[in-house]
Short mmCIF file of all heavy atoms in Angstrom, two decimals:
data_model
loop_
_atom_site.label_atom_id
_atom_site.label_comp_id
_atom_site.label_asym_id
_atom_site.label_seq_id
_atom_site.Cartn_x
_atom_site.Cartn_y
_atom_site.Cartn_z
N PHE A 2 -21.51 -2.27 21.62
CA PHE A 2 -22.09 -1.86 20.34
C PHE A 2 -23.59 -2.08 20.34
O PHE A 2 -24.08 -3.18 20.61
CB PHE A 2 -21.46 -2.64 19.20
CG PHE A 2 -22.05 -2.31 17.85
CD1 PHE A 2 -21.85 -1.06 17.29
CD2 PHE A 2 -22.81 -3.24 17.15
CE1 PHE A 2 -22.41 -0.74 16.05
CE2 PHE A 2 -23.37 -2.93 15.92
CZ PHE A 2 -23.16 -1.68 15.37
N HIS A 3 -24.35 -1.01 20.06
CA HIS A 3 -25.80 -1.06 19.94
C HIS A 3 -26.17 -0.80 18.50
O HIS A 3 -25.99 0.31 17.99
CB HIS A 3 -26.44 0.00 20.86
CG HIS A 3 -27.93 0.10 20.73
ND1 HIS A 3 -28.66 1.13 21.31
CD2 HIS A 3 -28.84 -0.68 20.09
CE1 HIS A 3 -29.93 0.98 21.03
NE2 HIS A 3 -30.07 -0.11 20.28
N GLY A 4 -26.69 -1.83 17.83
CA GLY A 4 -27.21 -1.69 16.48
C GLY A 4 -28.73 -1.60 16.54
O GLY A 4 -29.39 -2.53 17.01
N SER A 5 -29.29 -0.48 16.09
CA SER A 5 -30.72 -0.23 16.21
C SER A 5 -31.42 -0.33 14.85
O SER A 5 -30.91 0.16 13.84
CB SER A 5 -30.96 1.15 16.81
OG SER A 5 -32.34 1.40 16.98
N GLU A 6 -32.59 -0.96 14.84
CA GLU A 6 -33.39 -1.19 13.63
C GLU A 6 -32.52 -1.78 12.52
O GLU A 6 -32.49 -1.30 11.38
CB GLU A 6 -34.08 0.11 13.18
CG GLU A 6 -35.17 0.59 14.12
CD GLU A 6 -36.38 -0.36 14.18
OE1 GLU A 6 -36.41 -1.37 13.45
OE2 GLU A 6 -37.29 -0.07 14.99
N VAL A 7 -31.86 -2.86 12.87
CA VAL A 7 -30.87 -3.47 11.98
C VAL A 7 -31.50 -3.98 10.69
O VAL A 7 -30.87 -3.96 9.63
CB VAL A 7 -30.13 -4.60 12.72
CG1 VAL A 7 -29.14 -5.30 11.81
CG2 VAL A 7 -29.41 -4.03 13.94
N ALA A 8 -32.74 -4.44 10.75
CA ALA A 8 -33.41 -4.94 9.54
C ALA A 8 -33.58 -3.85 8.49
O ALA A 8 -33.81 -4.16 7.31
CB ALA A 8 -34.76 -5.53 9.91
N TYR A 9 -33.46 -2.59 8.89
CA TYR A 9 -33.66 -1.46 7.98
C TYR A 9 -32.33 -0.81 7.56
O TYR A 9 -32.35 0.22 6.88
CB TYR A 9 -34.57 -0.41 8.62
CG TYR A 9 -35.97 -0.91 8.86
CD1 TYR A 9 -36.27 -1.66 9.99
CD2 TYR A 9 -36.99 -0.66 7.96
CE1 TYR A 9 -37.55 -2.13 10.22
CE2 TYR A 9 -38.28 -1.12 8.17
CZ TYR A 9 -38.56 -1.86 9.31
OH TYR A 9 -39.83 -2.33 9.52
N TRP A 10 -31.20 -1.37 7.98
CA TRP A 10 -29.92 -0.79 7.60
C TRP A 10 -29.68 -0.90 6.10
O TRP A 10 -29.75 -2.01 5.54
CB TRP A 10 -28.77 -1.53 8.27
CG TRP A 10 -28.53 -1.22 9.70
CD1 TRP A 10 -29.19 -0.35 10.51
CD2 TRP A 10 -27.53 -1.84 10.52
NE1 TRP A 10 -28.67 -0.37 11.77
CE2 TRP A 10 -27.64 -1.27 11.81
CE3 TRP A 10 -26.54 -2.81 10.29
CZ2 TRP A 10 -26.82 -1.65 12.86
CZ3 TRP A 10 -25.72 -3.18 11.33
CH2 TRP A 10 -25.85 -2.61 12.60
N PRO A 11 -29.38 0.20 5.42
CA PRO A 11 -28.77 0.07 4.10
C PRO A 11 -27.33 -0.40 4.29
O PRO A 11 -26.72 -0.14 5.33
CB PRO A 11 -28.82 1.50 3.53
CG PRO A 11 -28.86 2.38 4.73
CD PRO A 11 -29.56 1.61 5.82
N ASN A 12 -26.81 -1.12 3.33
CA ASN A 12 -25.43 -1.61 3.41
C ASN A 12 -25.21 -2.52 4.62
O ASN A 12 -24.11 -2.54 5.21
CB ASN A 12 -24.43 -0.44 3.49
CG ASN A 12 -24.65 0.60 2.42
OD1 ASN A 12 -24.79 0.26 1.24
ND2 ASN A 12 -24.72 1.86 2.80
N ALA A 13 -26.26 -3.28 5.00
CA ALA A 13 -26.16 -4.09 6.21
C ALA A 13 -25.01 -5.09 6.15
O ALA A 13 -24.30 -5.28 7.14
CB ALA A 13 -27.48 -4.82 6.46
N ARG A 14 -24.81 -5.72 5.03
CA ARG A 14 -23.74 -6.72 4.94
C ARG A 14 -22.37 -6.09 5.20
O ARG A 14 -21.52 -6.67 5.86
CB ARG A 14 -23.76 -7.40 3.56
CG ARG A 14 -22.87 -8.63 3.47
CD ARG A 14 -23.13 -9.37 2.17
NE ARG A 14 -24.48 -9.87 2.10
CZ ARG A 14 -24.88 -11.03 2.62
NH1 ARG A 14 -24.01 -11.79 3.28
NH2 ARG A 14 -26.12 -11.43 2.50
N ASP A 15 -22.16 -4.88 4.68
CA ASP A 15 -20.90 -4.18 4.91
C ASP A 15 -20.71 -3.86 6.38
O ASP A 15 -19.60 -3.95 6.91
CB ASP A 15 -20.84 -2.90 4.08
CG ASP A 15 -20.73 -3.18 2.59
OD1 ASP A 15 -19.83 -3.93 2.20
OD2 ASP A 15 -21.56 -2.65 1.84
N HIS A 16 -21.80 -3.47 7.06
CA HIS A 16 -21.69 -3.13 8.48
C HIS A 16 -21.41 -4.37 9.33
O HIS A 16 -20.63 -4.30 10.29
CB HIS A 16 -22.96 -2.43 8.95
CG HIS A 16 -23.17 -1.09 8.32
ND1 HIS A 16 -22.17 -0.15 8.25
CD2 HIS A 16 -24.25 -0.54 7.71
CE1 HIS A 16 -22.63 0.93 7.63
NE2 HIS A 16 -23.88 0.72 7.31
N PHE A 17 -22.01 -5.49 8.98
CA PHE A 17 -21.73 -6.71 9.71
C PHE A 17 -20.27 -7.12 9.52
O PHE A 17 -19.64 -7.65 10.44
CB PHE A 17 -22.65 -7.84 9.25
CG PHE A 17 -23.96 -7.88 9.99
CD1 PHE A 17 -25.06 -7.18 9.54
CD2 PHE A 17 -24.09 -8.62 11.16
CE1 PHE A 17 -26.26 -7.21 10.22
CE2 PHE A 17 -25.29 -8.66 11.85
CZ PHE A 17 -26.38 -7.96 11.39
N ALA A 18 -19.73 -6.84 8.34
CA ALA A 18 -18.33 -7.19 8.08
C ALA A 18 -17.37 -6.13 8.57
O ALA A 18 -16.17 -6.39 8.69
CB ALA A 18 -18.13 -7.40 6.58
N GLY A 19 -17.88 -4.94 8.91
CA GLY A 19 -17.02 -3.82 9.27
C GLY A 19 -17.10 -3.43 10.73
O GLY A 19 -16.31 -3.88 11.56
N VAL A 20 -18.09 -2.60 11.06
CA VAL A 20 -18.14 -2.02 12.39
C VAL A 20 -18.29 -3.08 13.48
O VAL A 20 -17.71 -2.96 14.57
CB VAL A 20 -19.27 -0.97 12.50
CG1 VAL A 20 -20.64 -1.60 12.33
CG2 VAL A 20 -19.20 -0.22 13.83
N MET A 21 -19.00 -4.16 13.19
CA MET A 21 -19.16 -5.19 14.22
C MET A 21 -17.85 -5.91 14.50
O MET A 21 -17.65 -6.46 15.59
CB MET A 21 -20.25 -6.18 13.82
CG MET A 21 -21.64 -5.62 14.04
SD MET A 21 -22.95 -6.78 13.63
CE MET A 21 -22.45 -8.22 14.53
N GLN A 22 -16.95 -5.89 13.53
CA GLN A 22 -15.63 -6.50 13.77
C GLN A 22 -14.75 -5.60 14.63
O GLN A 22 -13.65 -6.02 15.03
CB GLN A 22 -14.96 -6.78 12.43
CG GLN A 22 -15.75 -7.69 11.50
CD GLN A 22 -16.13 -9.00 12.16
OE1 GLN A 22 -15.31 -9.64 12.78
NE2 GLN A 22 -17.41 -9.38 12.04
N ALA A 23 -15.21 -4.38 14.89
CA ALA A 23 -14.45 -3.49 15.76
C ALA A 23 -14.59 -3.86 17.23
O ALA A 23 -13.88 -3.32 18.07
CB ALA A 23 -14.92 -2.04 15.55
N VAL A 24 -15.52 -4.78 17.53
CA VAL A 24 -15.68 -5.27 18.90
C VAL A 24 -14.86 -6.54 19.06
O VAL A 24 -15.16 -7.55 18.43
CB VAL A 24 -17.16 -5.55 19.22
CG1 VAL A 24 -17.31 -5.99 20.68
CG2 VAL A 24 -18.02 -4.33 18.95
N PRO A 25 -13.81 -6.54 19.86
CA PRO A 25 -12.99 -7.74 20.01
C PRO A 25 -13.75 -8.87 20.69
O PRO A 25 -14.68 -8.63 21.46
CB PRO A 25 -11.82 -7.26 20.88
CG PRO A 25 -12.34 -6.08 21.62
CD PRO A 25 -13.33 -5.42 20.70
N ASP A 26 -13.35 -10.08 20.40
CA ASP A 26 -14.00 -11.25 20.96
C ASP A 26 -13.43 -11.54 22.34
O ASP A 26 -12.73 -12.53 22.57
CB ASP A 26 -13.80 -12.45 20.03
CG ASP A 26 -14.71 -13.60 20.37
OD1 ASP A 26 -15.70 -13.38 21.09
OD2 ASP A 26 -14.43 -14.73 19.93
#
């Protein structure tokens, strides 16, 4: 997963709780 210009994401909290959880540990 490549997150680009993360400081400028709208809805950043939702993305941290959503798409980033799609990467298994």
